[in-house]
Amino acid sequence: MASLYIRIYRNTLTVRNVDTKQEVTEQSETPFTTTRLLLGQMIPAMKLLARLTRKVASKRLIDLFAPHKVIIHAMEMNEGGHSQVEFASYIELAKSISPQGKHIYVCSKNVPLTDQEVIQIFSGDMPSIVSR
């Protein structure tokens, strides 16, 4: 199980493993952002997220079946907050790499989280900047 902090930008994802401090950023070959939604096309985003997660998550056999802890954070196109549809799409994207969905949070802060903030959220101190 890895503690992953995922930031979503226009057609780009950044995945950081807070445990190992590894971070990767990549732009999707197939756009997932539409004119109205940051995450308008789910399949290209899921494929990119799976590829990036494999680069930063543990490769040990025992960890392959453990659910990840995930914070997903939309960094653009979030003026006025997230709609319920956007919120649900972020959760679904996170569930594509952690299907049990026990430790998935959506962040609404306007700036990236620090590793310390991520660790604090995963330890159970859930400030108002995240939702489940």
Side-chain angles (χ1 to χ4, degrees), residues 13-108:
L13 295 177
T14 297
V15 178
R16 180 172 180 78
N17 183 331
V18 179
D19 302 324
T20 64
K21 310 296 186 231
Q22 287 181 285
E23 181 174 294
V24 290
T25 300
E26 200 172 303
Q27 187 167 8
S28 180
E29 295 171 7
T30 305
F32 58 77
T33 300
T34 64
T35 55
R36 293 185 298 163
L37 295 170
L38 184 62
L39 184 54
Q41 300 295 325
M42 189 64 76
I43 301 302
M46 286 177 162
K47 288 180 180 179
L48 178 58
L49 181 57
R51 185 169 61 247
L52 296 179
T53 299
R54 283 191 300 274
K55 290 181 179 182
V56 299
S58 174
K59 314 264 185 306
R60 297 183 320 167
L61 185 60
I62 195 164
D63 291 330
L64 291 178
F65 301 104
H68 298 300
K69 293 188 243 175
V70 178
I71 295 176
I72 195 153
H73 193 173
M75 301 304 299
E76 299 179 304
M77 298 177 69
N78 55 7
E79 298 78 18
H82 306 291
S83 70
Q84 290 177 348
V85 171
E86 290 169 311
F87 184 85
S89 70
Y90 302 146
I91 295 289
E92 284 304 309
L93 179 60
K95 282 184 176 181
S96 72
I97 59 163
S98 190
Q100 294 177 352
K102 290 181 180 177
H103 303 284
I104 295 175
Y105 305 91
V106 177
C107 182
S108 60

